[in-house]
Amino acid sequence: SDDWTDGIPNDREIIAVAEGLLMYFTKEQIRGLLESLRDAFPDGYLVCELMHPAMMKEDRHDTIKATKAKFGWGTESGHDLEALCGDFTLIRETSLSQEMKKYSLINKIAAVVIGNRNNRVAVFHWRASA
């Protein structure tokens, strides 16, 4: 159901934030979410966290080891998500490991080891066809 968007003004640009969320959805669920955003809001931005498939082993993550949570779909690039709904355009994608290497030696080492296989923050824009 798309009623979760009811009551949110749609007469201006919106910003939707999906941090720590999409990696638990299947590819089809993510497509449905993108289509819901596009259909409910004519113009907006999506800021989201994307997880690389190589990092989607539940036993690696302390935050979900003791739960029944399961990862759904990971992306090697924001372009993977962009392909799900052609109305979304990738504006920018930043690897968290590449960003964190600025702050300490251990993060520099981790960035070399992990490369761009870490989670990324991506920004997408969509606009309804006129």
Side-chain angles (χ1 to χ4, degrees):
S1 170
D2 289 345
D3 60 352
W4 66 272
T5 61
D6 292 350
I8 302 171
N10 65 358
D11 60 342
R12 64 195 82 132
E13 247 179 9
I14 70 149
I15 297 174
V17 178
E19 189 275 329
L21 177 69
L22 297 184
M23 66 277 297
Y24 297 102
F25 286 15
T26 65
K27 185 176 183 178
E28 293 74 27
Q29 289 171 319
I30 294 170
R31 179 181 289 118
L33 175 66
L34 298 177
E35 290 171 353
S36 292
L37 285 170
R38 178 201 60 206
D39 294 346
F41 308 103
D43 191 12
Y45 291 88
L46 170 64
V47 179
C48 61
E49 178 183 9
L50 301 175
M51 183 179 274
H52 193 280
M55 303 306 283
M56 297 189 81
K57 294 184 174 108
E58 285 87 5
D59 62 346
R60 289 186 179 180
H61 299 272
D62 291 338
T63 56
I64 66 170
K65 275 183 186 178
T67 71
K68 294 183 182 187
K70 297 286 181 199
F71 290 126
W73 185 61
T75 64
E76 290 189 21
S77 162
H79 293 292
D80 296 339
L81 190 138
E82 188 179 44
L84 293 179
C85 187
D87 298 310
F88 283 69
T89 302
L90 179 63
I91 305 249
R92 182 175 183 178
E93 182 173 23
T94 304
S95 165
L96 297 179
S97 60
Q98 295 303 312
E99 189 64 25
M100 291 302 294
K101 73 181 182 182
K102 299 174 187 174
Y103 301 105
S104 72
L105 178 59
I106 192 72
N107 285 327
K108 287 178 186 179
I109 294 168
V112 170
V113 173
I114 295 171
N116 286 324
R117 293 183 312 269
N118 201 352
N119 289 11
R120 285 118 36 234
V121 174
V123 179
F124 298 86
H125 180 251
W126 77 90
R127 181 171 289 138
S129 305

